Amino acid sequence: MQPSRTSARPPSPQLRRVALSGLLGTTVEFYDFLVYGTVAALVFGDLFFPGADPAVGTIAAFGTFAAGYVARPLGGLLFGHFGDRIGRKSMMLLTMTLMGSGSFLIGLLPTYDAIGVWAPVLLVTLRVVQGLAIGGEWGGATLMIVEHAEHAEGSGNARRGLWSSFSQLGAPLGSVLSAGVVTLVSTLPDDQFREWGWRVPFLLSVVLLAVGMFVRLRVAESPLFRKAEPLDRPPVLEVLRRPKPVLLAACVGIGAFTAQSLLTGFMISYAVGREHGAYSRPQVLAAVTIASCVALLVLPAASVLSDRIGRRPVVLAGAVASAALAFPVLALVDSGSPGLLILALVLGHGVAQSTMYGPLGALLTEMFGTRVRYTGASLGYQAATLIGAGFSPLIASSLLASNGGGSTPISLLLCGGAAITALTVWRLRETHGDALDPAPAPSAAPAREGTPQ
């Protein structure tokens, strides 16, 4: 029986602070990754992988993009372990520091012409460091919000979808900021953009880092974590002892991340590089920015709706819409019309992808008990990003190079990701009405079936 949902108590200052901390953390996360994806699409093939065929250079640039995603599940395990054992706050401070520092250092990297093969080696190394940090960032930021909301508003009354949407909003907000900054520097003459302009977006990440750290230092540890009894084994062993929730968590997010990756960073490379009716860089970046602004409205609306009718129907509606729009969206992009390009990205990214992605933070945190929540939610989420966002641009680039540039492979990838999400939703139990009480020690009470505690 689901707990009744009466009116929630007014949000406490600490809950608002935690929500802002989560928003800033995931904004830094997506700003860093989307800046890389955008700049990789524009110039990294030439600057770090010169001498290669242009298509091969693009594939190599997106290969370093994927390297960051490969490290994310490892980061989820690493920071999830310590976050479940010693606390959420300390891990959140560490992950944000590593993320912002990694992006800043990429902005200082010498190119291939200056140091030869060490340039791509250092680039990949920094991407891996970023990936490790980001692997632990989302889980800590999101579950801190959800657990504080549960404590502040009362079990059964907590608007977990609404509050967790603050961390989810970091995706479109990071996209708006990254596209906006790259748009500004891309107006530079081409030689200046290639010489120093591309560095500016990376160097500016230090501003987001400073603001985020200021807020995060004032956040209190999760009340649910403080109350929960400790496990007698590493959290990852407890999670993998019942792997079904992690597998479901990974699969349910694949559609959202596939759409996000293909319709933001990769779309810049595709739309600018098309042989017929190619768009200018500012046109594509403006379209991505407008779509992300729409997502800033759709995403919290979907999250609030999931508090009312459940996570499953909202995510399913987004997945069905993403699949249905996959071929029309690419047809609009291929039209060569800037107006239709904007419409395509608004429909595919701003509406369909955001509807899938909005409730994901609350859904994944509700699938795990308090003492393994950081590990379990992070591992599931980061596995989804690896499969959906990490490999999609690489696969799409390879397929486009082999079939002459037609958009069918991109549409099929969008449909495939959405289908995996839709099928997974049917296997999930609705969780929006469950309480998030601190989990008892394994010896004190059995775990809920299918959910590691």
Side-chain angles (χ1 to χ4, degrees), residues 274-358:
R274 287 172 55 244
E275 293 182 2
H276 305 290
Y279 302 91
S280 67
R281 282 199 301 253
Q283 286 175 329
V284 183
L285 290 167
V288 171
T289 303
I290 293 170
S292 297
C293 288
V294 172
L296 287 171
L297 301 175
V298 175
L299 193 152
S303 302
V304 170
L305 184 62
S306 77
D307 279 335
R308 295 181 175 274
I309 67 174
R311 320 292 183 211
R312 297 173 69 245
V314 177
V315 175
L316 180 61
V320 171
S322 185
L325 290 169
F327 282 91
V329 159
L330 268 297
L332 292 174
V333 172
D334 288 341
S335 69
S337 165
L340 293 181
L341 172 68
I342 293 173
L343 177 61
L345 298 191
V346 165
L347 292 174
H349 173 50
V351 177
Q353 189 273 341
S354 297
T355 302
M356 275 191 288
Y357 185 67

Side-chain angles (χ1 to χ4, degrees), residues 22 26 137-147 164 167-168 361-362 365:
T26 51
E137 167 60 30
W138 178 89
T142 302
L143 65 88
M144 273 282 277
I145 296 174
V146 171
E147 291 177 354
S164 68
S167 65
Q168 303 298 86
T365 56

